Amino acid sequence: MESTFLPSACPHDCPSTCALEIERLDAHTIGKVRGAKDNDYTQGVICAKVAAYRERVHHPDRLSHPLKRIGAKGEGKFARISWDEALDETVDQLKKATAEFGAESVWPYYFAGTMGLVQRDGINRLRNVFGYSRQEMTICTLLPWTGWVAGTGAMWGTDPREIAHSDLIIVWGGNPVSTQVNVMTHIAKARKTRGAKLIVIDPYRTPTAEAADTYLAIQPGTDGALACAVMNVLFAEGYADEDYLARYTDKPDQLRQHLSAKTPEWASKITGIPVSDIYALARAYGQTKNAYIRIGYGFARSRNGSANLHAVSCLPAVTGAWQHKGGGALHSNSGIYNINQTLITASDLEDRSIREMDMSRIGAVLTGEEKDLFGGPPVKALFIQNMNPAEVAPDTNKVLKGLAREDLFTVVHEQFMTDTARYADIVLPATMFVEHEDIYKGGGHMYLQVARKVIEPYAECRSNHDVNCALGQRLGSDHPGFHMTAWEMIDRTLKDTGMPGADEVADGRWLDCSKPYEEANYLNGFNHPDGKFRFSPDWKALGDHQGIMPSLPDHQEIIDAATEAHPFRMVTAPARRYLNSSFTEMPSSIAKEGRPRVLVHPDVCVEMGLVEGDRIRLGNNQGSVVVHVRPFDGLQRDVVVVEGIWPNHAFEEGIGINALTSADRGAPAGGAVFHDTAVWMKAA
């Protein structure tokens, strides 16, 4: 067979969902992976980790056949078994748990190891058909999405291609050079053709900040204060668009009065940013009508993350930037697609009286904390797809304690022997995206893509869809979703949504689902009954049952602030060559990342007598980890950064950085607070 390039789409947990072209060398082998040049968002540019994807697909450590545990949980000792044995054992244990403790004792657990709608969300069909415990999706998007919807009422924003028409771009709380490279493609075009300026706001000098015209090193969890101070200047110096405010916003006069005391001087004490820099930011934004804010996820992963993101989203409503081509803001376009996933998830059978447990609190759930079980039975059977909670979930020590329970039956469907898989009773080998079909939507752009498989599955690997169907059939369900191929499900889902079928979308490479300019920029009104942007959101409707959310944009003082006992604020930022715990097995990624390191301000290093490569211990009340020091001047002196979710075994004591992150629920409705951690630091 001659090599040929076939179309596909990147499945990983990234807003870009890049349009790909993958070289098929033969029926079982891929070669090069490149971006699709004719897609006007991807524009042929993809990240280095996906470009080297053949390392993942053909990695010698891929799981190749079903396994059954023969050693202690976590020991990693398994024996090979057949698929029939694995599925039969799984079904027997699911039935046993249901018979003895009720269906709620079974918890299907998943997230975004793939973003494909069929392979990711089909596990919910098992949940809804058989009445298993529901899962609250808190680990990634709940805090930022709540903050964005609080103001706009909808999950969309200015078309990212509009950046090419911007004269000022602010990347707030994101690092697209490392985590969404296509954003930088469009920023580069605006800088080259228009002389656009780039401002980056982040707790540390990321590769994106390195490329910026202006970088502001903010104290973690204080973005709301900075946004308020910017708005204070906008009102005080005449940059607010009074006509726009009167027509499109809810309480402009109350906001103006509220912000009168939120000066740059006030914000500087909270954020650590010099007063002059706050004025400069506000004036640059106020003087540029076509200013575009690309709002990231990172700064929302804090106890006050929703309030912070809402405050930032208020800026284009004050200046009226939404009205101008190249102006406005975008957090995510995930709300533009409206895919009917009823067949995939059996959502029409969902029983909302069944408990919904917080996925970020899996440690508390598995160790039996009453408030996390909502009065229901303990979890006796756990089925995991697309997720590696032993490394990714907060409070790692508690997660591992729960996974180690001898009375817990755990099945993990995975591509590699992750730390989670090492605790499983049954491990099932999973396909990769080039080995199955799926449908993808991009939160960072506006394209729907359907991808056929490129090569045949490796060894005995099976797709999530095939495993879910096999379990559903063995459990006796006649739901049609358990008796269809993935392609049939994709086709039916698209047609049920009123879109062309699977073959037509796949042959066309992608389907543009973008909204008209006026709607994307809310020029017909925001998505609230009165059409107005909410400076004063209905937080109670968004889950604020304790009444702790600020009535107008503000700095919400509920973070894990530095104290004498815990004097440093820690951010666990993404690494450039890893994506959550994916890619941590690839030789090229490991070579670039090296080992877990903590970025520490040089002044602190001098005070503590630390030099490059020294071992230090970071800790708090949850635990401690040993990492190596890298002196770094691109952050405030009481901020430390550990990049990447490294496997637990990459750390000296076999426990990863999320041992220190809290499983507390962010306000108002929950969400993981990975970047809101106070720690102590001492020589190891």
Side-chain angles (χ1 to χ4, degrees):
M1 177 187 293
E2 290 187 10
S3 69
T4 183
F5 279 89
L6 298 176
S8 191
C10 182
H12 283 278
D13 189 7
C14 164
S16 284
T17 320
C18 289
L20 301 179
E21 295 172 352
I22 298 176
E23 184 181 24
R24 183 176 65 185
L25 301 178
D26 59 45
H28 298 278
T29 313
I30 68 166
K32 297 178 182 178
V33 179
R34 66 193 187 194
K37 291 184 178 180
D38 51 343
N39 181 287
D40 65 0
Y41 183 76
T42 302
Q43 294 190 12
V45 178
I46 60 172
C47 65
K49 50 187 175 281
V50 172
Y53 213 84
R54 59 187 176 274
E55 292 182 23
R56 288 199 89 231
V57 175
H58 303 303
H59 197 292
D61 293 340
R62 270 193 75 176
L63 294 171
S64 58
H65 46 261
L67 301 169
K68 183 172 183 176
R69 179 171 62 88
I70 57 173
K73 290 197 172 189
E75 189 177 3
K77 289 186 177 180
F78 294 90
R80 180 174 180 171
I81 58 175
S82 69
W83 267 102
D84 283 337
E85 289 175 297
L87 294 170
D88 288 345
E89 173 74 6
T90 299
V91 168
D92 287 347
Q93 292 291 340
L94 298 181
K95 288 181 175 179
K96 179 181 178 182
T98 299
E100 294 185 15
F101 296 92
E104 285 190 339
S105 69
V106 178
W107 198 21
Y109 187 88
Y110 78 110
F111 199 62
T114 176
M115 294 289 278
L117 303 187
V118 171
Q119 307 292 350
R120 181 189 67 190
D121 298 334
I123 192 173
N124 289 311
R125 194 163 62 255
L126 288 168
R127 187 192 317 277
N128 292 328
V129 168
F130 296 105
Y132 299 146
S133 279
R134 297 187 299 141
Q135 175 182 304
E136 190 179 13
M137 304 291 278
T138 58
I139 207 158
C140 179
T141 58
L142 186 56
L143 279 165
W145 286 11
T146 301
W148 177 265
V149 171
T152 64
M155 191 47 64
W156 62 72
T158 305
D159 190 321
R161 294 170 295 190
E162 287 282 308
I163 291 175
H165 301 281
S166 304
D167 288 328
L168 175 68
I169 303 108
I170 300 177
V171 173
W172 199 314
N175 179 18
V177 165
S178 297
T179 62
Q180 197 189 346
V181 67
N182 308 93
V183 172
M184 298 307 296
T185 303
H186 296 276
I187 291 174
K189 182 183 294 185
R191 298 176 88 176
K192 182 177 180 179
T193 61
R194 305 180 62 85
K197 301 300 182 183
L198 172 63
I199 297 174
V200 173
I201 301 166
D202 203 276
Y204 78 115
R205 193 176 63 236
T206 63
T208 306
E210 293 273 9
D213 297 285
T214 301
Y215 162 58
L216 301 178
I218 192 169
Q219 185 72 215
T222 66
D223 302 81
L226 178 58
C228 286
V230 170
M231 288 187 282
N232 168 283
V233 176
L234 295 176
F235 279 114
E237 298 190 1
Y239 297 118
D241 186 326
E242 302 296 346
D243 291 338
Y244 184 90
L245 285 164
R247 180 179 177 185
Y248 285 101
T249 70
D250 65 338
K251 296 181 179 180
D253 294 335
Q254 291 94 321
L255 178 68
R256 184 196 312 269
Q257 178 62 34
H258 167 72
L259 293 173
S260 62
K262 311 294 182 184
T263 63
E265 291 77 9
W266 164 83
S268 179
K269 295 175 183 177
I270 298 170
T271 65
I273 298 173
V275 172
S276 59
D277 288 349
I278 299 176
Y279 275 107
L281 169 65
R283 290 163 180 163
Y285 186 72
Q287 292 166 5
T288 311
K289 293 300 185 183
N290 58 336
Y292 192 110
I293 307 180
R294 188 64 177 88
I295 299 178
Y297 285 83
F299 75 99
R301 295 194 173 116
S302 177
R303 288 166 178 80
N304 61 359
S306 289
N308 286 343
L309 197 142
H310 170 254
V312 174
S313 76
C314 293
L315 294 175
V318 172
T319 65
W322 291 107
Q323 305 168 95
H324 305 283
K325 194 171 184 65
L330 176 66
H331 173 58
S332 171
N333 263 333
S334 58
I336 68 175
Y337 299 94
N338 296 316
I339 304 298
N340 183 346
Q341 291 188 235
T342 304
L343 179 64
I344 296 172
T345 65
S347 56
D348 54 329
L349 301 178
E350 181 182 15
D351 181 353
R352 299 188 68 82
S353 70
I354 293 173
R355 66 180 177 184
E356 183 179 38
M357 296 185 294
D358 185 339
M359 68 176 301
S360 297
R361 293 188 57 78
I362 183 174
V365 168
L366 295 184
T367 55
E369 295 189 20
E370 287 296 323
K371 66 183 178 65
D372 293 285
L373 295 175
F374 297 96
V379 173
K380 304 295 286 189
L382 186 66
F383 176 41
I384 300 176
Q385 287 183 330
N386 308 322
M387 185 59 177
N388 181 15
E391 296 170 4
V392 171
D395 200 356
T396 303
N397 285 307
K398 190 172 287 186
V399 175
L400 297 182
K401 181 180 178 181
L403 289 172
R405 279 174 38 208
E406 285 298 330
D407 66 331
L408 173 68
F409 176 75
T410 302
V411 180
V412 174
H413 189 197
E414 253 297 354
Q415 297 165 347
F416 293 92
M417 184 58 71
T418 63
D419 283 344
T420 303
R422 292 172 68 87
Y423 283 83
D425 296 284
I426 299 290
V427 177
L428 305 174
T431 51
M432 294 188 182
F433 79 100
V434 293
E435 299 163 341
H436 58 237
E437 303 89 4
D438 218 332
I439 177 174
Y440 304 94
K441 58 183 185 180
H445 55 80
M446 68 305 296
Y447 287 116
L448 183 81
Q449 299 176 78
V450 170
R452 299 182 173 96
K453 70 178 181 181
V454 176
I455 58 173
E456 295 301 314
Y458 170 66
E460 295 185 37
C461 293
R462 295 189 185 181
S463 71
N464 293 348
H465 175 74
D466 289 344
V467 170
N468 294 334
C469 288
L471 292 175
Q473 291 173 26
R474 276 174 160 79
L475 288 164
S477 174
D478 60 0
H479 188 280
F482 293 128
H483 300 269
M484 306 173 74
T485 66
W487 197 254
E488 290 169 338
M489 181 167 283
I490 293 167
D491 188 64
R492 178 79 63 82
T493 294
L494 291 172
K495 290 176 177 175
D496 287 349
T497 306
M499 293 180 171
D503 284 310
E504 186 174 345
V505 176
D507 291 343
R509 301 289 301 282
W510 42 78
L511 185 67
D512 191 341
C513 297
S514 57
K515 289 184 172 293
Y517 176 84
E518 291 77 13
E519 191 173 352
N521 287 277
Y522 301 102
L523 299 183
N524 298 326
F526 290 87
N527 198 37
H528 294 291
D530 61 0
K532 293 181 180 290
F533 180 88
R534 294 284 187 264
F535 291 131
S536 181
D538 184 358
W539 289 114
K540 186 175 181 180
L542 294 169
D544 182 24
H545 303 304
Q546 298 175 309
I548 65 172
M549 298 300 290
S551 59
L552 289 163
D554 213 331
H555 171 58
Q556 192 181 22
E557 295 186 10
I558 59 173
I559 60 175
D560 187 16
T563 64
E564 186 176 350
H566 299 92
F568 297 96
R569 295 269 292 152
M570 183 182 74
V571 171
T572 54
R576 187 165 188 171
R577 296 297 290 256
Y578 296 158
L579 201 169
N580 300 323
S581 64
S582 295
F583 300 95
T584 58
E585 70 291 320
M586 282 173 50
S588 61
S589 293
I590 295 170
K592 289 288 186 181
E593 298 297 336
R595 64 187 178 188
R597 296 180 299 182
V598 57
L599 308 183
V600 181
H601 195 280
D603 291 350
V604 175
C605 290
V606 171
E607 290 174 8
M608 297 183 65
L610 300 171
V611 297
E612 177 89 35
D614 279 357
R615 297 164 59 254
I616 63 164
R617 186 176 293 277
L618 297 170
N620 56 18
N621 295 333
Q622 292 184 182
S624 68
V625 299
V626 175
V627 289
H628 294 265
V629 171
R630 179 190 165 199
F632 183 73
D633 65 359
L635 35 64
Q636 295 189 29
R637 71 182 315 280
D638 61 344
V639 175
V640 296
V641 174
V642 179
E643 291 184 319
I645 302 179
W646 290 78
N648 290 331
H649 63 74
F651 292 80
E652 285 188 16
E653 297 168 330
I655 194 75
I657 197 63
N658 278 323
L660 309 184
T661 61
S662 172
D664 286 357
R665 289 168 58 84
V673 296
F674 290 113
H675 305 326
D676 188 3
T677 306
V679 297
W680 47 257
M681 180 169 61
K682 62 185 180 182

